[in-house]
């Protein structure tokens, strides 16, 4: 098991040591164990959690909201988390399908050259998303 001291965790997580201290005091992260000299040691799972916290902060969640989310995630079995995320993804895809259908009449009204430019800008992103989902399903999905 890989264990990190505060400085190592801070460097690996791209935050300051003060941030690690603060998150520990808030209960967002916690040390795995302590050394004989009472240094806190953090696990690799804590590093993953720290990265998740940073992602949520980038999405503009407050630390209180993040703590609440982390507590919910901790109390839910992993299978339920995956199932919930996949359900959310499915709902999001259905919403995108509805929005595409709403765009169809508008695109048909556009000049062909302008419509082609709009679609060319969207296709790489959409294709990348579709490819990511396809790869995920190939690796983790049921065999059909």
């Amino acid at each position: 098991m890989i264990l990190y001291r505060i400085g190592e965790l801070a460097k690996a997580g791209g935050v300051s040591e003060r941030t690690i201290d603060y998150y520990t005091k808030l209960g967002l992260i916690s040390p795995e164990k302590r050394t004989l000299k009472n240094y806190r040691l953090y696990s690799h799972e804590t590093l993953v959690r720290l990265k998740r916290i940073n992602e949520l902060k980038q999405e503009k969640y407050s630390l209180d909201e993040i703590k609440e989310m982390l507590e919910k995630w901790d109390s839910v079995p992993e299978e339920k988390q995956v199932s919930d995320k996949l359900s959310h993804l499915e709902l999001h895809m259905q919403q995108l399908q509805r929005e595409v259908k709403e765009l169809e009449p508008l695109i048909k009204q556009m000049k062909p050259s302008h419509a082609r430019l709009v679609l060319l800008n969207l296709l790489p992103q959409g294709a990348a998303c579709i490819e990511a989902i396809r790869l995920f399903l190939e690796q983790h999905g049921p065999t059909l």
Side-chain angles (χ1 to χ4, degrees), residues 85-138:
K85 285 282 190 186
L86 288 173
S87 295
H88 177 74
L89 181 59
E90 183 179 6
L91 291 172
H92 190 67
M93 287 172 36
Q94 289 171 357
Q95 176 64 30
L96 289 173
Q97 286 175 332
R98 284 191 294 275
E99 290 178 21
V100 167
K101 284 182 182 179
E102 289 174 11
L103 282 174
E104 282 182 45
L106 298 173
I107 291 173
K108 286 180 182 178
Q109 293 174 3
M110 295 172 80
K111 292 180 183 176
S113 60
H114 192 253
R116 190 173 21 259
L117 280 174
V118 169
L119 290 173
L120 285 174
N121 286 331
L122 292 176
L123 287 178
Q125 296 165 343
C129 183
I130 291 167
E131 182 65 11
I133 292 169
R134 186 187 66 76
L135 288 171
F136 174 80
L137 290 174
E138 280 181 4

Side-chain angles (χ1 to χ4, degrees), residues 11-70:
K11 186 175 181 181
V15 297
S16 69
E17 292 180 29
R18 281 183 74 181
T19 300
I20 299 296
D21 260 346
Y22 186 59
Y23 288 176
T24 301
K25 287 176 185 165
L26 289 178
L28 293 171
I29 60 174
S30 56
E32 186 72 24
K33 64 182 186 177
R34 290 186 176 264
T35 66
L36 294 175
K37 293 185 177 183
N38 210 26
Y39 290 116
R40 288 173 280 177
L41 297 175
Y42 296 87
S43 67
H44 181 72
E45 288 77 22
T46 304
L47 176 59
V48 172
R49 187 177 179 97
L50 182 61
K51 289 179 179 180
R52 181 180 285 167
I53 292 168
N54 287 336
E55 289 169 3
L56 291 169
K57 281 182 63 180
Q58 292 295 317
E59 294 176 21
K60 306 295 184 208
Y61 287 99
S62 71
L63 290 178
D64 287 335
E65 291 170 322
I66 292 171
K67 184 175 183 179
E68 204 172 286
M69 282 185 231
L70 292 173

